[in-house]
Amino acid sequence: MLEKSEREQIIALIHQEVVPAIGCTEPIAVALCVARASEILNNRHPQRITAQLSANILKNAMGVGIPGTDMIGLPIAIALGALIGKSEYGLEVLKDCTPEAVEEGKQLIDAQAIQISLKEGIKEKLYIEVCCEADGNKATAIISGGHTHFVYESLNDEVLLNIQSGAGHEGGETEMELNLKKVFEFATTTPIEEIRFILEAKRLNKSAAERSLAGSYGHELGKTLRESRSEKHLMGDNTFTHILSYTSAACDARMAGAMIPVMSNSGSGNQGIAATLPVVVYAEDNQKTEEELIRALTLSHLTVIYIKQSLGRLSALCGCVVAATGSSCGITYLMGGGYEQVAYAVKNMIANLTGIICDGAKPSCALKLTSGVSTAVLSAILAMEQKCVTAVEGIIEDDVDLSIRNLTRIGSEGMNETDKMVLDIMTHKHCY
């Protein structure tokens, strides 16, 4: 078992990275920044709002529904951030949204009070700079390095906050160094009462899936999978299809802009969904104990946090790759696997899914999550049969942590040109 001080550090890290969120975290983070600038200005009706954003924020905010609005994209998120957003709510900043506020937001958009542009000359992939102006006053707020991490605030010429030198890490603190062995040891040996809080991820994300299955959201992938199990005997009624339908259903609702909270991971609701629901469904379908579920969920979520440490919060690599790798670890553990089998599962995932592009947050993310968690199950099954992609194959190395580094190097460095081309294609499509 890890030392108590180290366990406390990891628990604090999980609490920091696994948090509730309503709506896609990129436009919601922009709304949060707008809300803070409006609060600094002390004016809920700014005459002009200017948002300068990194390319990855723009990409992830273009095609996703905004909760409570039946609208897509940044303008309404920005308008609502100014009108009803409360920065104290964090990633639930728009939970007080009303139909009246939406109508008022539309008027703000029609008045051309909102200007959105790409921020030039920055290296940060997660960067949001908002200026709100009214009655000759100007308030600025900047988020960088994390979806809720404010690094700069000012009112007119008075600087209220300036920690931009620490923007690379959320909170400006040095991240705790993890490796897969430490993640596994923490998840499997920590006193159960210290990590019981992870069950809140189950409660929120399972509720989101069930609400989605009872409604009509996005492409309705989850609902289609559930209702078509017997069609042509192709899918069947089994744990595998249960995992796919629940995971994709929660994503359907979230990407469509449903006012439904989910438990996110590392700034992404979809990552939180994919790290949670496959593990929960497998555990419930196979009558696993509550302790086994808690440890599997902890293993899944902490694996995602570990991989994201070197990948970064936003990248050209789809988050389903990382999140599904976490859930594959959790499922492998529930199947009775030890550290060796979990490491096998991770290598199998990296060998299969590396290179899936992120082309923004949108309803079709449910398809990518389904691809990810399908592979999570296959990788776990192979791992339990002592089968693993070897070091003579592709980017896999004998050391699982080096394999993870190869994955994150490709996602954070190697795919940068891909990221630029994806954004160029998205911003020049005929539908815009």
Side-chain angles (χ1 to χ4, degrees), residues 11-200:
I11 288 168
L13 179 63
I14 297 173
H15 277 301
Q16 174 184 295
E17 300 293 357
V18 181
V19 297
I22 296 177
C24 175
T25 45
E26 277 70 56
I28 295 302
V30 177
L32 174 63
C33 198
V34 174
R36 185 65 192 131
S38 296
E39 289 165 358
I40 295 169
L41 193 62
N42 198 26
N43 190 318
R44 282 301 183 187
H45 295 82
Q47 295 155 348
R48 178 179 170 85
I49 305 170
T50 303
Q52 297 184 79
L53 313 171
S54 60
N56 288 79
I57 291 289
L58 275 174
K59 179 180 70 175
N60 277 351
M62 288 170 61
V64 70
I66 305 303
T69 69
D70 291 325
M71 297 175 68
I72 287 174
L74 278 168
I76 191 63
I78 289 172
L80 290 174
L83 296 169
I84 53 91
K86 292 182 181 177
S87 63
E88 65 193 71
Y89 290 166
L91 293 178
E92 296 179 285
V93 61
L94 299 184
K95 69 179 180 179
D96 291 341
C97 180
T98 63
E100 293 76 19
V102 174
E103 289 306 312
E104 197 173 349
K106 290 176 181 176
Q107 293 174 20
L108 200 59
I109 296 168
D110 291 342
Q112 297 186 324
I114 298 169
Q115 302 295 321
I116 303 166
S117 63
L118 181 68
K119 178 71 175 182
E120 302 288 353
I122 57 167
K123 294 181 179 179
E124 295 93 334
K125 293 187 177 181
L126 198 167
Y127 183 92
I128 303 163
E129 180 177 330
V130 171
C131 295
C132 290
E133 300 175 62
D135 303 323
N137 295 306
K138 177 180 178 181
T140 301
I142 298 175
I143 287 176
S144 179
H147 290 78
T148 61
H149 183 216
F150 286 93
V151 298
Y152 182 86
E153 296 174 358
S154 68
L155 177 61
N156 296 325
D157 295 327
E158 181 184 1
V159 176
L160 308 174
L161 172 73
N162 188 1
I163 53 171
Q164 294 187 81
S165 60
H169 300 288
E170 185 149 355
E173 298 173 0
T174 301
E175 288 180 325
M176 181 180 184
E177 286 192 19
L178 295 171
N179 56 51
L180 192 66
K181 183 72 173 178
K182 186 180 291 186
V183 167
F184 183 83
E185 185 178 355
F186 174 85
T188 56
T189 66
T190 295
I192 202 67
E193 291 306 320
E194 294 183 17
I195 53 176
R196 184 175 295 277
F197 65 88
I198 202 68
L199 287 176
E200 182 65 6

